[in-house]
Amino acid sequence: MSDLSTPLARVKGLGSAKEGVTHWWRQRLTALLMVPLVLLLVVCVASLPSADHARFTAWISSPFATICLVLWIGAMFYHAQLGLQVIIEDYVSSHARRTAAIILVSFVCLIAAAVGIFSVLKIALGA
């Protein structure tokens, strides 16, 4: 197969980084994981007609709900980080700003996921 890039592009290293497919698959797999989790959580929450605070915390304390919520929070923030990274890579032209934005988004998503998972586990373990 012939190389269609220009000599300048080859020297600068412009072209495929060979990571796009992995990133694409991870985003699709997290989306597929979230579909049944969201459906389960919607059905479970809808089945709590008079959901006062005590009943809702009791529901979160059940092992099934805890596992579903922890998986959903982890998948949701990882999926968000992947999607925001693509947006930043596409629309931020400065290399330094792009790198800083990707790092910032990664940390914010990681911290938000940790806070969400910690909160669910704190309720589930009765602390």
Side-chain angles (χ1 to χ4, degrees):
M1 186 151 229
S2 66
D3 187 13
L4 298 176
S5 61
T6 65
L8 181 60
R10 282 194 295 273
V11 170
K12 286 186 172 183
L14 301 175
S16 174
K18 307 291 190 258
E19 294 179 9
V21 174
T22 303
H23 190 99
W24 185 86
W25 271 110
R26 286 180 181 167
Q27 198 169 21
R28 295 325 180 260
L29 290 175
T30 55
L32 283 174
L33 175 64
M34 285 191 297
V35 169
L37 288 173
V38 168
L39 291 174
L40 280 171
L41 293 172
V42 166
V43 167
C44 288
V45 170
S47 68
L48 299 171
S50 61
D52 57 346
H53 184 265
R55 187 174 175 122
F56 197 69
T57 54
W59 173 76
I60 292 176
S61 297
S62 71
F64 179 74
T66 301
I67 290 170
C68 285
L69 284 169
V70 167
L71 286 174
W72 178 68
I73 290 169
M76 177 186 63
F77 281 109
Y78 184 59
H79 182 78
Q81 186 267 330
L82 291 171
L84 290 169
Q85 180 180 340
V86 169
I87 292 169
I88 291 166
E89 289 171 348
D90 287 346
Y91 294 106
V92 178
S93 58
S94 168
H95 182 69
R97 287 182 183 168
R98 181 173 49 238
T99 303
I102 290 172
I103 291 170
L104 178 66
V105 163
S106 297
F107 279 127
V108 167
C109 287
L110 179 66
I111 290 169
V115 167
I117 291 170
F118 176 77
S119 299
V120 169
L121 292 177
K122 187 172 181 178
I123 292 170
L125 299 176

